[in-house]
Amino acid sequence: MNKLVITSDGSHTIYVPELDEHYHSIHGAVQESEHIFIRSGFDFCQANPLHIFEVGFGTGLNALLTAIKAEQGTREVIYTSIEKYPLEEYISGQLNHYNFAGERGRAISSLISSAPWGTMNSICRNFRLMKIAGDITKEEVKGKFDLVYFDAFGPEKQPDMWTLWIFEKISMITEKNGILVTYSSKGDVKRNLRSAGFRVTRLPGPPGKREITRAIKI
Ligand SMILES: C[S@@+](CC[C@H](N)C(=O)[O-])C[C@H]1O[C@@H](n2cnc3c(N)ncnc32)[C@H](O)[C@@H]1O
């Protein structure tokens, strides 16, 4: 059974015993998400309006931090996220991520977690969210995206999520000059991204991780 765990910055993550894997870095879940997805992805991508696709909705932490940024800014953000195993309410209801998201954190977090799956939901100013309950290896994803948050479980634990075939699928729905960010900087991952039509850059990682990957669709 999944367990709630406190990471080094005080924010929660979830431990999955069957995979011996955490949803986020144990060195700081919020810190990791801000570093990889917000600063290296959202802040770097200039598209306006901004269409984001996320692989692995999980706890909704990336969605929450993105919604806060969108509300504070001027860009319209349309966020689509796919999740094979939506979290049960008993565990998502205990997450403390809103404590790290400022005064609007609690309200926005609650709107994100209660948003119905399979439809577009207006969450707050400048932020709309579509949560898809589905499997990225099977589901046909429609649309074109400027920014991809690739946040699957690690390549050692879930190799089928990091294949050339998956990155080709992602490449097809990524705009030219669109950006993909992910925490993995493994050689195979970078090679598959290049073969799928991305130019790959290594960036310094958050605490506990030497490097992360940002890729730009050619
Ligand atoms: C590293 S966690 C994601 C963390 C998440 N972005 C967050 O902010 O909490 C990986 C997520 O990918 C989901 N996942 C695993 N296999 C999947 C698949 N085939 N299709 C879609 N999602 C999948 C897992 O259930 C898990 O929620």
Side-chain angles (χ1 to χ4, degrees), residues 155-208:
E156 296 79 15
K157 305 298 165 107
Q158 255 200 323
D160 59 323
M161 295 289 281
W162 302 83
T163 59
L164 174 57
W165 182 76
I166 288 287
F167 288 129
E168 280 174 343
K169 195 168 175 172
I170 300 288
S171 180
M172 300 270 288
I173 56 166
T174 305
E175 294 280 9
K176 187 170 179 332
N177 296 320
I179 289 152
L180 176 149
V181 274
T182 189
Y183 63 86
S184 178
S185 61
K186 226 183 147 206
D188 283 352
V189 170
K190 287 184 289 192
R191 263 190 296 284
N192 287 341
L193 278 166
R194 282 192 197 99
S195 303
F198 289 89
R199 189 168 59 248
V200 174
T201 319
R202 291 174 302 168
L203 300 175

Side-chain angles (χ1 to χ4, degrees), residues 23-24 54 56-59 61-62 83-84 135-136 151 158:
Y23 274 47
H24 310 93
E54 177 180 45
F57 178 77
T59 62
L61 173 58
N62 293 335
E83 172 56 57
K84 186 173 178 184
D135 180 342
I136 186 69
D151 201 10
Q158 255 200 323

Side-chain angles (χ1 to χ4, degrees), residues 12-31:
H12 278 135
T13 191
I14 290 171
Y15 175 68
V16 186
E18 298 79 40
L19 289 176
D20 185 24
E21 179 79 326
H22 292 88
Y23 274 47
H24 310 93
S25 165
I26 54 162
H27 300 283
V30 167
Q31 197 167 238

Side-chain angles (χ1 to χ4, degrees), residues 11-134:
S11 60
H12 278 135
T13 191
I14 290 171
Y15 175 68
V16 186
E18 298 79 40
L19 289 176
D20 185 24
E21 179 79 326
H22 292 88
Y23 274 47
H24 310 93
S25 165
I26 54 162
H27 300 283
V30 167
Q31 197 167 238
E32 176 191 51
S33 180
E34 275 177 346
H35 181 104
I36 301 171
F37 300 104
I38 303 301
R39 285 197 291 279
S40 311
F42 184 93
D43 289 348
F44 182 77
C45 184
Q46 298 300 308
N48 184 11
L50 172 57
H51 291 262
I52 301 179
F53 181 65
E54 177 180 45
V55 176
F57 178 77
T59 62
L61 173 58
N62 293 335
L64 170 62
L65 298 178
T66 304
I68 297 286
K69 287 283 292 191
E71 193 181 58
Q72 291 168 349
T74 52
R75 280 195 287 186
E76 188 197 351
V77 178
I78 305 99
Y79 194 106
T80 303
S81 184
I82 188 162
E83 172 56 57
K84 186 173 178 184
Y85 307 108
L87 280 175
E88 300 94 332
E89 171 59 32
Y90 87 89
I91 198 151
S92 62
Q94 296 180 57
L95 291 164
N96 68 0
H97 294 157
Y98 61 80
N99 285 335
F100 298 79
E103 59 183 25
R104 291 276 294 142
R106 189 171 207 140
I108 292 180
S109 171
S110 156
L111 289 167
I112 288 174
S113 60
S114 63
W117 293 79
T119 61
M120 192 59 82
N121 301 277
S122 189
I123 300 295
C124 59
R125 196 173 71 90
N126 292 336
F127 189 80
R128 281 183 288 149
L129 172 68
M130 158 88 93
K131 301 190 289 188
I132 302 170

